[in-house]
């Protein structure tokens, strides 16, 4: 495994834990969902940015020369470690720190849908998607990992193309 990928994925996981706990104490995932609906994206956006940075650091580590395969492998390793850790953090948070997260999110979503006079079909579809994605089942966590990795693979491919040098 690439030490750069390991180091930066662990840094980002530590930041993610701190960020989620800050959100929790500020009520962004329970009583203050209005702000939380935006702040929840910060760790994932930082993950996307760091894929590029990690691949760049790998090129620098290789004395300025790096082929596509080396860059892509670095991005994938970083993504696997982070996405696996992120999924475990979210599972732990949802089951032990804030077991009421799903109910709070559901109530907030319903409130938002009613405020904009959504049709019953829109409400049913939104609740079904919410149930599928956030209900705390093993499948919902597997999907979180898979969709996070899809972003990781795609951005690793772009980063490897961007930073490859012969």
């Amino acid at each position: 495994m690439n030490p750069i990928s390991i180091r930066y994925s662990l840094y980002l996981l530590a930041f993610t834990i701190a960020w989620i706990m800050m959100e929790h104490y500020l009520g962004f995932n329970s009583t203050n969902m209005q702000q939380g609906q935006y702040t929840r994206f910060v760790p994932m956006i930082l993950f996307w940015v760091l894929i590029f940075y990690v691949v760049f650091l790998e090129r620098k580590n290789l004395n300025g020369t790096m082929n596509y395969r080396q860059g892509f492998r670095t991005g994938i390793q970083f993504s696997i470690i982070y996405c696996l850790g992120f999924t475990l953090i979210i599972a732990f948070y949802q089951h032990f720190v804030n077991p009421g997260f799903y109910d709070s999110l559901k109530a907030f979503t319903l409130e938002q849908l009613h405020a904009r006079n959504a049709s019953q079909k829109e409400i049913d579809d939104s609740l079904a998607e919410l149930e599928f994605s956030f209900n705390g089942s093993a499948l919902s966590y597997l999907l979180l990992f898979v969709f996070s990795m899809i972003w990781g693979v795609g951005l690793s491919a772009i980063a490897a193309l961007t930073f490859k040098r012969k």
Side-chain angles (χ1 to χ4, degrees):
M1 277 246 145
N2 185 323
I4 294 171
S5 298
I6 294 169
R7 184 174 349 122
Y8 279 88
S9 60
L10 293 177
Y11 290 161
L12 184 55
L13 287 168
F15 169 82
T16 299
I17 291 168
W19 185 263
I20 290 172
M21 294 315 295
M22 182 221 36
E23 285 182 308
H24 179 73
Y25 289 115
L26 293 174
F28 290 173
N29 292 321
S30 55
T31 58
N32 197 359
M33 289 284 218
Q34 192 67 33
Q35 281 75 27
Q37 69 181 331
Y38 303 111
T39 62
R40 274 191 288 280
F41 293 111
V42 169
M44 197 53 60
I45 291 169
L46 193 53
F47 162 60
W48 298 338
V49 170
L50 281 179
I51 288 172
F52 286 86
Y53 186 64
V54 165
V55 172
F56 169 77
L57 288 177
E58 178 63 10
R59 183 181 79 185
K60 188 176 174 183
N61 189 48
L62 295 171
N63 298 320
T65 61
M66 179 181 71
N67 62 36
Y68 176 81
R69 186 171 158 232
Q70 290 168 316
F72 186 66
R73 183 178 55 233
T74 299
I76 292 296
Q77 288 173 355
F78 173 75
S79 297
I80 288 170
I81 296 167
Y82 180 73
C83 292
L84 183 59
F86 180 72
T87 302
L88 293 172
I89 290 166
I90 295 300
F92 182 84
Y93 176 77
Q94 199 169 351
H95 286 281
F96 299 107
V97 178
N98 188 3
F101 172 73
Y102 173 71
D103 294 328
S104 298
L105 185 60
K106 184 176 178 180
F108 174 74
T109 302
L110 275 171
E111 180 182 308
Q112 295 290 88
L113 289 167
H114 288 303
R116 66 177 182 89
N117 295 321
S119 69
Q120 188 59 46
K121 181 178 179 356
E122 286 178 294
I123 292 171
D124 293 342
D125 290 346
S126 292
L127 291 179
E129 182 181 331
L130 197 69
E131 172 74 23
F132 188 67
S133 301
F134 294 99
N135 68 359
S137 69
L139 179 60
S140 69
Y141 298 123
L142 178 64
L143 290 173
L144 174 63
F145 175 78
V146 167
F147 285 116
S148 298
M149 273 304 299
I150 288 171
W151 277 97
V153 168
L155 292 175
S156 293
I158 294 168
L161 279 173
T162 302
F163 294 114
K164 74 176 184 164
R165 297 285 188 272
K166 292 185 179 185

